[in-house]
Amino acid sequence: MYTGISDQPVALGAERDRDTNIAGNIEPLNQARNTLEAVHLVHMGARAALVCQLTGLTKKVVGGLYPPLTGMPSPPGQVPFTDTWYLKSNQRLLHANVVWHLFQHLEQTGRSAASVLIHVYEAYLEIVDAPLLTLTRAFFVPRLVSINAWCEQACDHCDISYIGPLSHDGSICPACAEYFNHRCRSCGTAMEYHRAGRRKAVCSGCYKKQSRIRKHLKTRVTNGFP
Ligand SMILES: [Zn+2]
Ligand SMILES: [Zn+2]
């Protein structure tokens, strides 16, 4: 005998009960997940303010995690609010770009903000031999883009997309900037390293060649040739 129709209200009622139970269970599960993520972040060296921001846990709860987990209170200091530290070297900028690409990839996975940062930082530590960015510095990299201090741009030399501050005299990625620190920008020849004085952009051969061209053009203009 077909009883599908008469069974339906019973089935729907059971489904509703199950949904209510699931909804009732989600909150403690979220709490547990947030606490586990907080523990992970504390172990990775995050400061209490950042842990609170990412997990939504209270200052009191997060502050209480440090003594049993690290034997010390939360590390002092603030989240950076300028890019000064990152701009001190091409290596720092390169590392910031590694972190940026990892964020781009992991932010699409639907994870929580805390989980994204944990995964980004763990991947970063695996990729680089000598990490330069702390967890806090890594966290601040995408913020530099969202506050428009940095933007995504293409390098004039290698065409790779990277993030950094906008420059008025052309775009150069940190890898090319590091490469051209020791090489002629025109012919690529290795140049001698001079500790003192202004760093030269081109080698002496290219400099002479460019001077000759400039002189030649100047003479043509003086003589009335376009
Ligand atoms: Zn480049
Ligand atoms: Zn050259």
Side-chain angles (χ1 to χ4, degrees):
M1 196 179 130
Y2 176 69
T3 57
I5 294 170
S6 57
D7 282 351
Q8 212 170 25
V10 179
L12 281 175
E15 211 168 277
R16 228 182 352 256
D17 286 350
R18 201 180 61 229
D19 286 351
T20 317
N21 283 338
I22 290 170
N25 288 335
I26 281 176
E27 195 41 41
L29 280 174
N30 280 342
Q31 284 266 348
R33 191 197 67 188
N34 291 341
T35 310
L36 281 173
E37 287 173 348
V39 167
H40 212 130
L41 288 166
V42 168
H43 275 307
M44 291 175 113
R47 292 166 185 146
L50 181 61
V51 179
C52 293
Q53 187 185 329
L54 291 169
T55 61
L57 295 175
T58 64
K59 227 171 161 181
K60 199 177 162 199
V61 170
V62 172
L65 292 173
Y66 285 88
L69 292 174
T70 66
M72 281 186 293
S74 163
Q78 302 228 318
V79 171
F81 49 87
T82 70
D83 61 357
T84 314
W85 182 88
Y86 303 85
L87 300 178
K88 285 266 159 70
S89 76
N90 291 323
Q91 280 85 357
R92 287 181 184 181
L93 269 171
L94 262 174
H95 281 221
N97 270 276
V98 170
V99 162
W100 164 252
H101 282 290
L102 290 168
F103 266 109
Q104 295 278 93
H105 171 67
L106 283 157
E107 269 170 354
Q108 291 166 12
T109 56
R111 294 172 189 276
S112 67
S115 175
V116 167
L117 180 62
I118 290 166
H119 282 255
V120 163
Y121 200 66
E122 280 179 345
Y124 167 65
L125 294 183
E126 274 177 32
I127 291 169
V128 299
D129 283 338
L132 298 175
L133 273 62
T134 59
L135 183 86
T136 311
R137 301 243 188 244
F139 164 77
F140 195 59
V141 169
R143 302 295 171 280
L144 284 164
V145 179
S146 61
I147 61 172
N148 294 322
W150 285 7
C151 64
E152 198 161 11
Q153 50 199 304
C155 174
D156 291 345
H157 299 274
C158 68
D159 210 29
I160 269 177
S161 161
Y162 72 100
I163 54 161
L166 262 185
S167 162
H168 296 296
D169 53 344
S171 167
I172 182 163
C173 75
C176 285
E178 187 58 26
Y179 176 79
F180 287 124
N181 259 347
H182 311 286
R183 292 196 175 256
C184 169
R185 287 204 187 193
S186 181
C187 70
T189 302
M191 295 198 295
E192 258 184 71
Y193 176 68
H194 295 287
R195 190 176 284 275
R198 198 161 165 256
R199 208 187 287 275
K200 288 186 174 70
V202 291
C203 70
S204 54
C206 287
Y207 181 77
K208 277 179 199 154
K209 208 154 78 187
Q210 286 173 2
S211 302
R212 270 201 305 274
I213 293 168
R214 269 198 299 271
K215 215 167 156 183
H216 178 66
L217 287 173
K218 210 172 157 189
T219 318
R220 279 177 72 91
V221 170
T222 316
N223 292 337
F225 295 110

